[in-house]
Amino acid sequence: MSGTTRRNFLGTAAAAGGGVALATPQRASAESGAAVRTVAVLGGGVAGLTAAHELAERGFRVTVYERKALGGKARSMDVPDSGTGGRRPLPGEHGFRFIPGIYHNLPHTMRRIPFPGNPNGVHDNLVAPKEMLFARSGGREDIRLPLPGHGDAPAELTPDEIRRSLTAVLDTAFNLPLHEALYFANRFLVFLTSCDERRDDVWERTPWWEFVRAGQMSDDYQRILAVGITRNIVATKAEEASTRTVGTLMEAFVFNLLGRGADGPLDRILNAPTNEAWIDPWVTYLRSLGVEFRVGWTVRDLTLGSGVITGAVVEDPEGARRTVTADHYISAMPVEHARRTWNSAVRSADPQLAECDRLETDWMTGIQFYLTERTPILHGHLNLIDSPWSLTAIAQAQHWPGHDFPADFGDGTVADCLSVDVSEWDRPGILYGKTAKQCTRAEVAREVWAQLKAALNDSGRTVLKDSVLHSWFLDPAVDGLGTPNPVNEEQLLIHPVGTFHHRPRSATKIPNLFLAGDFVAVPIDLATMEGANSSARQAVNALLEQIGSTAERCTVTPLYRAPELEGLKRHDRTRYRLRLPNLFDVG
């Protein structure tokens, strides 16, 4: 995007009918004499960029401080020294991007980020894979599922229809025993018709493994419906994961499949490396709105005086400490970094900050394999449900139609990028018998490659060949592998039971401090880009309320609720208050 001018972007913004129209009235009032308020956004990931976007369009003067790179865990990155002969460096990433149709707030922002030639901004860079694959190891048949497109006729949502439909899918697609498919469908129906109070209290404190009675079921039931859903999609362990979190996500996906309340198809990815398709155009647009960026600046502390934040202590790229000031501060860092900046005085001013110490993070990190041939796997995501390290993957070249891999990237011989997410770092692998954290970086690459081959080459067809492996790239945020002290600077928030009750609100008791990030309490109860985006919108709204602004509030769209089920939820609320189980909970 470096060749795109500011004029190009602003012209595209006007055509898209997005951000410029919203920003104009606020700027007019500022230019006519009203004082322009300043905001320091601490963190430049999805939450920080969203906050900057919403604030700048409302006439605030915004500076974003980011320690590493704009885009945070969502960004793509160049593989160092990999481009030769004038070609682009190979594309690396923390993990592949997945923007499902259940998201509403993030897509709304994407439509307001201008992109040349796209009437709906960078949102038009989303494409829908056609299928997904549950790959089995040990010669067991892989499960290949077509993905329906958006726009399917909404199904009639009655308890019986939901139970019958889900049972049919599980019985047919996954070959589960009929009685297990029926049981799981009924457990899902219990969650679907549970009132909010039962979800927040009982199901939040019940592990998913226990809720679906996984310990009493077959290995396939455990691998697909317990471990598969939680480890590969929600990125936490089934034995620990909150039923509220897992069930809420599954509920949203089922509604998406039924054509209900969705922004688009179930599975969507970007049609180019993330920075090219999304992050770089976003930053360019924000700069055009006057947002300033300080990259390489690390926030170390917040100073408190007279009950308000008086400054943020930052370390600049040269290592010098300085204090930056603003009227308002939005902490938009991941929780494991943000809570280090809250000293005892700040924590005392708002007890909910101390509650964040009880939130947990875990490792989920990407590795990319660059291949000299296209991989004939499928047009979509792979879920290797039998892999010890809980691998998911996608072959990217086929989804990037505007790029010629051999000609455009690397040394001219790379034809594809197989991007893999490693979700389990504490279980022994199949090659060395060591956990991922115990392996060196090279051993991690060889182990992941071996697990990929074990799942994809076990049915009489050689999908992955050693001879086509060109090179690999492991997220540089991971360091110290194979030593007693491995570290991961970009971990992922996980959702053990009880987590929901420790998540903070966007508004704090410190009048000029607000919180944004995927750890903040938002309508989507999952560490996601949607959660980060929603929390930033909440933070901006809280700031506007605090100062009594008349500016238009940010929309925060919750997950879809089927109106046909509200009566059953009201009935369940009565049963819950009478200490009775859900109507469909037969044990």
Side-chain angles (χ1 to χ4, degrees):
M1 298 309 303
S2 58
T4 304
T5 66
R6 180 173 180 270
R7 184 184 301 273
N8 295 145
F9 271 101
L10 294 178
T12 309
V20 174
L22 176 61
T24 302
Q26 297 301 322
R27 287 181 169 180
S29 65
E31 292 168 358
S32 62
V36 177
R37 294 177 182 263
T38 60
V39 183
V41 175
L42 312 178
V46 171
L49 294 179
T50 301
H53 190 150
E54 300 293 349
L55 289 165
E57 287 189 342
R58 288 164 174 79
F60 290 84
R61 183 175 299 139
V62 183
T63 304
V64 177
Y65 297 88
E66 165 57 39
R67 69 186 180 93
K68 183 181 289 187
L70 298 174
K73 291 189 285 288
R75 75 192 187 282
S76 57
M77 61 196 85
D78 294 339
V79 177
D81 305 318
S82 62
T84 63
R87 299 177 192 86
R88 297 171 53 179
L90 293 170
E93 56 193 355
H94 170 79
F96 53 76
R97 305 272 59 77
F98 169 49
I99 303 174
I102 67 172
Y103 291 2
H104 286 277
N105 299 291
L106 183 67
H108 179 256
T109 295
M110 298 178 81
R111 287 186 175 92
R112 294 155 49 213
I113 302 170
F115 192 92
N118 288 359
N120 296 304
V122 302
H123 187 276
D124 286 345
N125 291 336
L126 293 174
V127 295
K130 301 174 183 177
E131 55 190 345
M132 68 183 303
L133 181 72
F134 290 83
R136 308 304 305 268
S137 301
R140 285 180 285 184
E141 192 66 30
D142 294 341
I143 303 165
R144 192 169 187 145
L145 300 177
L147 293 176
H150 184 50
D152 296 341
E156 181 184 3
L157 291 180
T158 65
D160 186 60
E161 184 62 33
I162 293 169
R163 184 191 291 112
R164 286 160 54 91
S165 299
L166 187 55
T167 300
V169 169
L170 297 176
D171 182 40
T172 303
F174 297 106
N175 297 316
L176 289 172
L178 180 59
H179 73 279
E180 292 191 350
L182 281 167
Y183 186 79
F184 184 85
N186 193 73
R187 296 307 293 166
F188 179 65
L189 190 61
V190 168
F191 183 85
L192 203 63
T193 58
S194 289
C195 64
D196 292 340
E197 291 88 341
R198 193 185 299 276
R199 293 184 182 200
D200 293 348
D201 187 9
V202 180
W203 302 143
E204 171 61 20
R205 293 179 168 84
T206 303
W208 180 250
W209 182 275
E210 179 182 320
F211 178 76
V212 298
R213 309 291 197 271
Q216 305 167 24
M217 302 297 178
S218 66
D219 179 68
D220 280 353
Y221 182 101
Q222 295 175 0
R223 297 299 303 169
I224 296 170
L225 300 178
V227 175
I229 289 176
T230 57
R231 203 59 175 138
N232 295 138
I233 299 176
V234 189
T236 190
K237 296 179 174 66
E239 297 84 353
E240 303 173 0
S242 154
T243 292
R244 182 190 188 278
T245 296
V246 180
T248 299
L249 184 69
M250 184 176 174
E251 175 185 54
F253 278 132
V254 168
F255 286 149
N256 195 170
L257 282 168
L258 295 174
R260 290 295 192 94
D263 179 80
L266 180 70
D267 188 1
R268 297 181 299 187
I269 57 176
L270 291 163
N271 64 0
T274 307
N275 272 34
E276 178 183 342
W278 174 24
I279 302 299
D280 289 349
W282 200 3
V283 172
T284 299
Y285 176 59
L286 295 183
R287 289 188 194 278
S288 77
L289 297 180
V291 176
E292 297 184 4
F293 295 95
R294 302 286 185 267
V295 179
W297 295 57
T298 303
V299 181
R300 297 298 185 187
D301 196 13
L302 299 177
T303 57
L304 187 72
S306 301
V308 298
I309 301 299
T310 57
V313 179
V314 299
E315 191 174 288
D316 68 19
E318 286 72 42
R321 289 208 172 195
R322 61 180 71 192
T323 299
V324 298
T325 60
D327 296 321
H328 309 280
Y329 301 81
I330 294 182
S331 178
M333 296 173 282
V335 66
E336 68 271 22
H337 297 297
R339 59 193 176 198
R340 296 172 189 165
T341 70
W342 303 333
N343 56 46
S344 58
V346 171
R347 287 165 177 256
S348 296
D350 190 347
Q352 73 169 341
L353 299 179
E355 283 291 297
C356 292
D357 290 342
R358 303 176 70 174
L359 299 178
E360 298 179 33
T361 60
D362 202 355
W363 290 39
M364 186 176 185
T365 304
I367 182 171
Q368 289 76 54
F369 294 96
Y370 305 101
L371 312 176
T372 56
E373 295 179 4
R374 289 288 181 96
T375 51
I377 305 174
L378 84 164
H379 192 277
H381 287 99
L382 311 168
N383 189 325
L384 283 65
I385 56 178
D386 294 324
S387 58
W389 289 2
S390 296
L391 306 180
T392 49
I394 189 167
Q396 294 182 317
Q398 63 187 319
H399 301 292
W400 296 351
H403 298 80
D404 184 340
F405 251 85
D408 291 350
F409 293 98
D411 60 6
T413 65
V414 174
D416 209 344
C417 172
L418 183 60
S419 188
V420 185
D421 279 350
V422 182
S423 298
E424 175 58 76
W425 286 76
D426 295 304
R427 186 178 300 162
I430 64 174
L431 198 60
Y432 299 106
K434 297 191 292 186
T435 70
K437 292 176 182 176
Q438 293 170 334
C439 292
T440 65
R441 296 178 73 85
E443 288 172 340
V444 166
R446 288 192 287 268
E447 177 71 55
V448 172
W449 184 253
Q451 292 185 30
L452 289 168
K453 291 194 299 180
L456 299 173
N457 292 357
D458 65 334
S459 56
R461 184 168 67 106
T462 302
V463 176
L464 293 181
K465 299 179 290 185
D466 292 339
S467 59
V468 306
L469 180 57
H470 175 278
S471 55
W472 53 269
F473 177 73
L474 177 61
D475 187 352
V478 174
D479 197 15
L481 291 176
T483 74
N485 299 300
V487 296
N488 183 349
E489 291 186 352
E490 297 182 0
Q491 297 191 37
L492 191 71
L493 182 73
I494 59 173
H495 305 270
V497 292
T499 297
F500 170 75
H501 301 290
H502 304 307
R503 298 177 71 164
R505 300 175 302 280
S506 289
T508 75
K509 293 184 177 180
I510 302 172
N512 65 340
L513 175 65
F514 307 89
L515 304 181
D518 60 12
F519 66 97
V520 174
V522 291
I524 184 169
D525 182 23
L526 188 68
T528 58
M529 296 182 293
E530 173 79 347
N533 180 277
S534 301
S535 69
R537 291 165 177 250
Q538 288 183 172
V540 171
N541 285 346
L543 190 158
L544 296 175
E545 289 292 327
Q546 176 64 37
I547 65 175
S549 172
T550 60
E552 181 181 354
R553 300 305 191 254
C554 309
T555 58
V556 181
T557 304
L559 291 171
Y560 176 74
R561 294 176 70 111
E564 301 97 319
L565 300 179
E566 291 304 309
L568 287 167
K569 291 181 181 179
R570 288 193 295 270
H571 177 71
D572 187 60
R573 183 176 299 112
T574 300
R575 294 181 64 89
Y576 175 72
R577 291 172 178 174
L578 293 173
R579 300 187 179 182
L580 295 173
N582 179 274
L583 179 66
F584 300 99
D585 196 345
V586 294

